[in-house]
Amino acid sequence: MVARIRGRRSWQLGRQVLSAIGRQEWLDRSSYRLEHALSLGYNALGGARDTVTNALNGVWLGHPVHPPLASLTTGAVGTTVALDMLSALPFEPRVEAVVASRFARRALGVGILASIGSAATGATDWQHTHEEDRRVGLIHGVLNLAATALYAQSWWDRHKGRNRRGIAFTALGYLITAAGGYLGGALVFESGIGIDQSGSRLRTTQWTPVLSATSLNGRPVRVDVDGVGLVVCQTSPGQVVAFGEFCPHLAAPMADGWIDRGRLVCPWHGSWFSTESGEVVRGPASTALPWYEARLVDGVVEVRGERQPALGRKGHSARKGIME
């Protein structure tokens, strides 16, 4: 009972902290300046912009890169803390302590590199957030940058033989990382940042009529099939395609998007999805948009559920959607 009460109080405290950060509108000016700086930096890359941002967003991985890098940071620094504790034990002979101290510095170096990568990927994901999520994300990033600075100072102190000072800086940085991790967890599990938000999937294997071809006007049109929302598009005369109704990134309504040179464009953050497969062409989305078979039969659009995972999509869609 006591543990339950304490847990409840901790939860309430965490909620109060998140709510307080989310109300700090004064953070918006600096956050939007940072966003503009990031955009200018990426645009300065010219033709390499999409390649770099897709890599940072995790298009190649199929989900955001930031979480695994953050986990690597936490694991590496956690290993450092454990080895620090081990090196403080009264070993005889002292060679074990020396070995533990040496490996602690190496583990900390891995943690610093992972933290730098985590910062780069996290900032790329963060620039597309809004309001309360943006404010919480900004504080999350500031805390992690502060922790990384402490880790870097700790590594340098260890390198110079100031082990006790290095151990203290690592321990302090680890506490800050834990606080930042709590904010990051709230962004993922409560706000859905980085989670596939494309919604329910259409599972029926039967061809289902959804609307007349005359209803297509060159833009995505929303339809409902078995309680699942879809968008239907006409990509060329006699050829139609169907997708899930929400962008996987932040659940933007794809019915408000548009077709551009064989790509369906998200109306909120500009993600590009291939009309032949639903695969991501350009982020910030990192997960494919649900793609469904569609065809025209006697002037009526028919669709049916997912045929296979994204890995098997290539090479099969060239004939789909052609008038039969």
Side-chain angles (χ1 to χ4, degrees):
M1 180 63 72
V2 174
R4 183 179 300 176
I5 293 174
R6 289 178 177 174
R8 179 69 178 176
R9 289 176 178 174
S10 298
W11 180 84
Q12 290 176 340
L13 177 61
R15 299 304 309 163
Q16 291 171 359
V17 170
L18 287 169
S19 178
I21 296 174
R23 293 194 302 268
Q24 305 307 306
E25 296 182 4
W26 61 271
L27 293 171
D28 292 346
R29 176 176 295 183
S30 57
S31 69
Y32 282 109
R33 285 178 176 175
L34 176 57
E35 178 198 352
H36 294 157
L38 289 171
S39 297
L40 287 173
Y42 293 140
N43 291 334
L45 297 173
R49 177 192 182 280
D50 289 351
T51 301
V52 172
T53 55
N54 281 354
L56 293 174
N57 284 134
V59 173
W60 58 277
L61 190 60
H63 64 74
V65 188
H66 178 68
L69 284 176
S71 297
L72 178 57
T73 301
T74 304
V77 178
T79 299
T80 302
V81 172
L83 289 171
D84 286 341
M85 296 173 63
L86 188 63
S87 67
L89 295 176
F91 285 112
E92 289 295 341
R94 292 294 297 171
V95 63
E96 289 88 347
V98 173
V99 172
S101 179
R102 182 186 307 134
F103 278 98
R105 184 163 65 89
R106 293 177 180 176
L108 183 59
V110 172
I112 292 170
L113 293 176
S115 185
I116 294 171
S118 179
T121 54
T124 307
D125 294 339
W126 167 85
Q127 68 173 329
H128 301 290
T129 57
H130 305 281
E131 298 179 341
E132 289 86 355
D133 292 338
R134 173 177 287 261
R135 297 161 195 156
V136 172
L138 180 65
I139 299 302
H140 166 73
V142 168
L143 288 175
N144 285 331
L145 286 175
T148 302
L150 289 171
Y151 297 149
Q153 183 61 52
S154 173
W155 188 93
W156 182 252
D157 286 337
R158 293 166 190 264
H159 179 68
K160 292 298 184 180
R162 299 187 289 265
N163 287 333
R164 289 187 179 180
R165 178 173 166 174
I167 289 172
F169 277 135
T170 297
L172 178 58
Y174 198 55
L175 290 175
I176 295 175
T177 293
Y182 175 80
L183 299 182
L187 290 172
V188 173
F189 297 110
E190 295 186 22
S191 299
I193 306 300
I195 295 177
D196 183 352
Q197 299 194 47
S198 55
S200 301
R201 301 296 199 269
L202 180 64
R203 301 300 182 187
T204 179
T205 58
Q206 301 297 318
W207 286 107
T208 305
V210 292
L211 80 167
S212 169
T214 58
S215 301
L216 299 175
N217 56 4
R219 295 182 63 86
V221 177
R222 185 190 182 282
V223 297
D224 188 281
V225 183
D226 292 343
V228 177
L230 309 179
V231 291
V232 178
C233 317
Q234 184 167 9
T235 56
S236 62
Q239 185 168 1
V240 291
V241 291
F243 303 93
E245 86 174 296
F246 297 117
C247 177
H249 179 226
L250 287 177
M254 297 305 294
D256 293 338
W258 59 91
I259 298 292
D260 178 26
R261 292 169 292 178
R263 299 167 300 209
L264 179 60
V265 182
C266 171
W268 285 2
H269 303 115
S271 295
W272 296 350
F273 301 94
S274 169
T275 57
E276 294 185 348
S277 63
E279 294 172 349
V280 181
V281 178
R282 186 178 80 175
S286 57
T287 304
L289 183 66
W291 185 96
Y292 303 103
E293 292 185 273
R295 67 183 183 181
L296 282 171
V297 178
D298 296 329
V300 175
V301 179
E302 297 182 347
V303 301
R304 66 180 177 183
E306 292 180 314
R307 52 197 174 89
Q308 53 189 334
L311 290 177
R313 289 175 177 169
K314 292 182 178 180
H316 291 270
S317 56
R319 298 177 296 170
K320 302 301 179 183
I322 298 178
M323 186 179 297
E324 298 181 11

